Amino acid sequence: MRIIFKTNYMQDIRPWKDRHQLTLYLILPIVVAAAPWWLDDFYLGELTNVLIWAIAGLGLMVLTGHTGQVSLGHAAFLAFGCYANVVLIEAGVPFLIAFPLAGIMTGIAGVTVAIPALRLHGIYLAIFTMALSILMDDIIVLSEPITGGVSGKYIGGVEIFGHLVDRWGTPDQFFWLVLTVAVLVTLGYINLLRTPLGRSFIAARDSEVSAQAMGVDIARTKMISFALSCAVTGWAGALMGLFAGAFNNETFSVLISIQLLMMIVIGGLGSIHGAFLGAIVIGFLPQFLSISKEYVGALFGGNTVAIPGLEFGIFGMILIAFILFEPMGIYGRWLKIRTWFELFPFYRKDMFKRQKSYLKTERLR
Amino acid sequence: MSLLEFENVTLKFGGLTAVDDLSFEVQEGEVFAIVGPNGAGKSTVFNLISRFYDPFVGSIRFDNHDLLQVKPSGVAAYGVARTFQNIELFEHATVLQNLLVGRHRHRRTNLISEILFTPSARRQELENREKVEQIIDFLDLQANRDKMISGLPYGVRKVVEVARALATDPKLLLLDEPASGLSVEETTDMRWWIDDIRRQMGITVLMVEHDMGLVSGVSDRVLAMADGAKLALGTPVEVQSHPAVIEAYLGKAS
Ligand SMILES: Nc1ncnc2c1ncn2[C@@H]1O[C@H](COP(=O)(O)OP(=O)(O)O)[C@@H](O)[C@H]1O
Ligand SMILES: [Mg+2]
């Protein structure tokens, strides 16, 4: 059991608990940044993909995990960010301006959506945002002059300081670009959670009435949460577009929205770790499945079998298992295991008991 | 000087008159209690002050401001803090985080300075923490500081709610049944805390409470309500011996 003696308020304000943790969190990005040297190009691409999903997960986590507003429509914002970025670049805006701008524009789009969404709670909000995601498909087709309609758009690579960064040509540089965005978003998120705004998100999530009584303007808070969430999701979308190289109206389907929500639930709602852990599951599940399919195929002596929709089905099953047995996600499970070791033998089963789900909001009457 | 003024306030829920032409004033520095049977409209009075409902008629003034002009989230800025009858804490946050939300009305930073965690944001966090620590010391919550609310027993939650309200640095503290469900010892603690909140911190207290021992122990004046209307108002002894109050509690004799 590790005991931390606190002698200074900064020890609680700092994002790390002790020197151990700080060292770990400094080494981790360095090891990851060195990935081009210890991973081949295929797995580097996979890792890049995982990081992009993690950024998208961080975006949705702000809204769903920390503000308690379920969104099944975030693929629409991925699409918005992706198209905004490429359209701006095509218009001659340099990438280093187009990219931030794409996120900001997506944030503004998010606020526009938030205005009607503010009246909705729980399942109704989920349905509303899901409808939005479905609608986005049509909007992209209809605005063909900008979006290229069903034939979609293509982007080869982007220029950063006169240097061409391309997923295929310079996979390591593209990876560092994504990693930089992921690190910056994570740092901003950590800061958010240790300052008044982040706490007001949590307050609005857990009890709207008492948040109001503490002076938190619920409508404004949710609006800012939508804006931040959509901006980050927009950046993830822009990176997804660059990663894919080509995309059209079907790239960001409602299935992506659902997958994104599943991802943060599996990873662990209400934690930054959850977004990353969920992204790792989502990113490496296809590999894991194809490897295990080979094994199963070999076991029965036949060829590998192809089952359509298997990936998504297995993913759904994992999700159901998590909701039933570990609603706090992978990160929650890890916290429990860690606490068990730290407190051994004093761990109690009810230590992490959850009394209410995140989806509840209204409780005045 | 009167800090809070209710003037002929009426509120109806459909056909039910929850608050009926109610007038009273709370003086600065006093402990003012509202008593009455269940459904008398006591919590509704609190919810009116919190601006969760708009009264049909009447005016509510606080510290020379017309409260009816502000949004629910604007009430705290004037210096009104409250607890809830059915505890409303932020369940999936620690005690410390809950109390820090109480500091929200003193926020000076904005979105950008918070995301960048600028020196001013850091300074603000340290100040907030210092204020919150004083309250943690005052209410003996040190052992629970880093615990999640969802794992805390009922009695501690009640205290955390009071602490969170105090963290806002209020002029007026509204306590909705602070002792309900508490053990005898916990109720005694609460009694002394309420006394200290008024004496040491100089905060005016308006509370709803059923425990008459607690009410007569700490309050200067008592308002008795039934069916949304005022029955009697005066010192605890006066109100307890008032014929209308005895009738409301015990039913009509004969
Ligand atoms: N939001 C509401 N909608 C309808 N009726 C309500 C609402 N809030 C309170 N009431 C009714 O108003 C009356 C007063 O309630 P309340 O103020 O909670 O009583 P108490 O004095 O026990 O705190 C009760 O009859 C209650 O049922
Ligand atoms: Mg009540």
Side-chain angles (χ1 to χ4, degrees), chain A residues 10 12 191 206-207 210 217, chain B residues 71 88 92 115 122 129:
Chain A
M10 278 315 289
D12 278 341
N191 286 341
D206 285 358
S207 168
S210 60
D217 184 332
Chain B
K71 291 186 291 189
E88 286 281 347
H92 304 288
I115 285 184
R122 176 189 309 261
R129 183 63 194 272

Side-chain angles (χ1 to χ4, degrees), chain A residues 2-44:
Chain A
R2 206 158 78 217
I3 297 171
I4 299 165
F5 288 103
K6 293 184 185 164
T7 51
N8 184 321
Y9 294 150
M10 278 315 289
Q11 279 174 287
D12 278 341
I13 295 170
R14 279 198 290 260
W16 59 90
K17 268 198 287 209
D18 55 9
R19 211 160 282 179
H20 259 74
Q21 221 185 18
L22 176 66
T23 320
L24 189 71
Y25 284 136
L26 285 179
I27 290 175
L28 187 71
I30 294 171
V31 171
V32 174
W37 287 283
W38 53 267
L39 272 184
D40 63 25
D41 277 2
F42 173 75
Y43 277 103
L44 187 64

Side-chain angles (χ1 to χ4, degrees), chain A residues 265 317-330 332-333 336 349 352 354:
Chain A
V265 171
M317 264 153 33
I318 296 178
L319 180 80
I320 292 169
F322 266 101
I323 289 176
L324 287 180
F325 304 114
E326 188 49 273
M328 286 166 77
I330 299 173
R333 170 57 44 184
K336 280 179 204 172
K349 238 191 154 155
F352 284 90
R354 283 164 60 100

